[in-house]
Amino acid sequence: MANSNTDITKESFAKVNLADTESEKITGESVSAWKDALRRFVTNKGAMASMIIIAAIVLFAIIGPHFFGYDIDDQDVSRANLPPKIGALTWIPAFNGYENGVDIYKEKNVTKNYWFGTDQFGRDLWTRTWKGTQISLIIALIATLADVFIGVVYGGVSGYFGGMIDTVLQRILEIIAGIPNLVWIILLMLIMRPGLITITIAILATSWLSMARIVRGEMLKLKNQEFVLASRTLGAGDGRIIFKHLIPNSIGMIIINTMFSVPNAIFFEAFLSFIGLGIRQPQASLGSLINDGYQMLQIHPYQTLYPGIIISLLLICFNIMGDGLRDAFDPKLRR
């Protein structure tokens, strides 16, 4: 039996003098979908660290080639195959200018330090590495623009209108996707020289296909929603509905897929340059630098090391940041 001292009576409660409208007010802060996604992205330590690393690489790609005043093709065989040397870090074996216990700089009477060393033609690898990073980032930018301006529009029109238009556009897409990227490059090389323009055309021809499929699926899912019917009832045209309502509602998927297409484009360019179908001398990309260094790998491994580290960081960081954006924009994946 309950103790009489703890019995609940009418006098135990006091009425709060609160207006009826007060109970209907939202006590919590109103947070938009974009602000909520940003907040969750910022709390993702891996994604934030990846974004900082990517920003640092982009910054060095812009200012790095101007550090020492060398051009990308400044050759001097008297300084060929110099190991990396940084004056303030000579206590670290990797940056003391020694190779097999011999001070190569003293042996060749070289007074300047080369932070990433030099290649077999005496060209500064610091300058060439960051110039090559520029090329790889330009390729990534081209892939991003192709995704946004070709893939989004193509997929949006195909999914929204449906019917015969969708059938024709999808058959065209399947024909393009049925031709491997390497075949595209070989066909282009029959009429063009290998280089940045050839790779750009190959990327513009094929990189947007996955984006078009994703946007088409989003259009098919959203076009019968109530807000689309309301917009059409108010007199909105097809173009306004697609670009003002449907695509903005698919922006999360678009951003996520774009972030994953960037490392694919960088790897595609590096692969082509490595097998000799991409950037040609005297220009450089990360792939061509790795190819050049691969020929000297057993004798001078540093010539492959630094381009390899940068391209690995780019691929890993873009993928981690893409995962972070996916977690941020998809509430179902919220941790």
Side-chain angles (χ1 to χ4, degrees), residues 244-262:
K244 294 292 186 180
H245 298 288
L246 295 179
I247 289 179
N249 276 279
S250 307
I251 196 68
M253 291 298 298
I254 293 172
I255 292 175
I256 293 167
N257 191 69
T258 300
M259 292 306 302
F260 284 119
S261 70
V262 168

Side-chain angles (χ1 to χ4, degrees), residues 271-286:
F271 168 72
L272 292 177
S273 296
F274 184 78
I275 64 176
L277 299 179
I279 304 299
R280 293 293 182 90
Q281 299 287 352
Q283 296 299 314
S285 70
L286 292 177

